[in-house]
Each structure stands twice: as structure tokens, then as C-alpha cells.
Amino acid sequence: MKSTKKKKNTYVVNLDTTLCPLELFCLCENTPMAVVTLNGEKLQENTNWNGSMLFPNPPATTMVNMYKQLKPIMGKKLASTIIEYHDKETKKPIAFLFPTNEISTSYKSLEELKQRLNHATRQDLERQANIREKYLNMLSMKNEEKTR
């Protein structure tokens, strides 16, 4: 049996200091975010537009809006990490997983998306989604306690 490698890119973006409020992009197709780390390699210290990448809305806007809530629970790194998954045959990006556990893809269902991922990438998507779900449940429980 041949082992497969994960086909993905992992972006860590800077949401603490930005040139303008990213919420302004909520009605746009994409939100530009400064990528500071790509696949564990540090790209830049600052948040200039040269190092920005466009991420699809509405999940990108949701991430920006929830960042301050997610950061204390998930930690700064996970709360600002976006994973881009690639098609097993074409190697092109076909989905983004956000810290809010939202998946942006053109496929109509999660099952259809998973069919386009190789085994290792499919397992990674499931594992990463489970990690995010755990933290989102913790946030939900924390918010419920506040309302009591």
C-alpha cells in the first residue's frame, strides 16, 4: 500500500494589527488578510498589503468577527489559522477550513468534497474540524454560563 501525503497549505494570518478594519470587506467576495506564516515558514513580521492573500467570504468575515472570542480559548495561532485543501488529482485548491469550523468550497456537500481529497488529506480535514469543534463547544458553554 502506497502512503499518501497531505495536500494542503496552512496559513497563519495577522488579525491583531491590520491596516484597516477587515469587517469592511463583509459584503465583498473576499477578505484580504496578511499571511505571516505559510506551512510553518515565517513570511513577514508586519501586516503590509504585499503579504496579503484573499480569503473567501462569508467564512473569512465570520473568522474576523469571532477572533477576539476565539483567541482566549483556542490560542492566538489556531484562532488565526486557515487551511487550504487541494484536489488529489489537479493539486488545485478546492476548500478552506477556518477556525470557526466553516468550510468554503464550491462542492455541494461535504461528502462530494471528501471524494476529491486523498486519504491523508481527508483524514486531516476531519481531524482539524474535530479540533475546532471542541473549542467552539467550549466557547458555547462559556457563553451559556455568562447568560445564567
Side-chain angles (χ1 to χ4, degrees), residues 6-12 35 37-40 53 55 81-87 91-98 121 124 128 132:
K6 291 179 248 177
K7 307 227 182 294
K8 69 177 190 171
N9 285 323
T10 303
Y11 302 96
V12 178
V35 177
T37 306
L38 171 61
N39 297 330
M53 182 173 163
F55 293 98
T81 297
I82 301 168
I83 303 174
E84 173 187 72
Y85 289 98
H86 299 179
D87 185 276
K91 316 278 190 285
K92 292 183 179 177
I94 58 170
F96 289 92
L97 175 65
F98 290 85
T121 308
D124 184 76
Q128 293 294 333
R132 285 155 180 73

Side-chain angles (χ1 to χ4, degrees), residues 9-34:
N9 285 323
T10 303
Y11 302 96
V12 178
V13 297
N14 185 339
L15 295 175
D16 288 319
T17 55
T18 58
L19 292 173
C20 73
L22 296 178
E23 296 86 357
L24 297 176
F25 294 95
C26 66
L27 297 178
C28 300
E29 187 175 339
N30 299 294
T31 295
M33 294 187 217

Side-chain angles (χ1 to χ4, degrees), residues 23-131:
E23 296 86 357
L24 297 176
F25 294 95
C26 66
L27 297 178
C28 300
E29 187 175 339
N30 299 294
T31 295
M33 294 187 217
V35 177
V36 292
T37 306
L38 171 61
N39 297 330
E41 302 274 325
K42 195 169 210 165
L43 298 180
Q44 63 181 359
E45 293 288 337
N46 59 25
T47 60
N48 65 35
W49 290 107
N50 294 336
S52 290
M53 182 173 163
L54 297 174
F55 293 98
N57 282 327
T61 299
T62 304
M63 173 186 175
V64 169
N65 290 333
M66 290 192 65
Y67 176 69
K68 287 183 177 154
Q69 289 178 296
L70 294 175
K71 185 176 161 184
I73 291 174
M74 290 182 160
K76 179 180 177 176
K77 184 177 178 185
L78 185 58
S80 59
T81 297
I82 301 168
I83 303 174
E84 173 187 72
Y85 289 98
H86 299 179
D87 185 276
K88 64 183 172 185
E89 294 168 5
T90 66
K91 316 278 190 285
K92 292 183 179 177
I94 58 170
F96 289 92
L97 175 65
F98 290 85
T100 55
N101 217 16
E102 290 177 278
I103 298 173
S104 175
T105 185
S106 61
Y107 292 99
K108 291 181 177 26
S109 71
L110 186 57
E111 287 310 311
E112 193 178 341
L113 168 64
K114 286 180 179 181
Q115 289 175 1
R116 300 303 314 152
L117 303 174
N118 69 23
H119 180 72
T121 308
R122 191 170 43 251
Q123 282 187 319
D124 184 76
L125 173 61
E126 290 171 4
R127 188 175 72 77
Q128 293 294 333
N130 288 336
I131 290 168

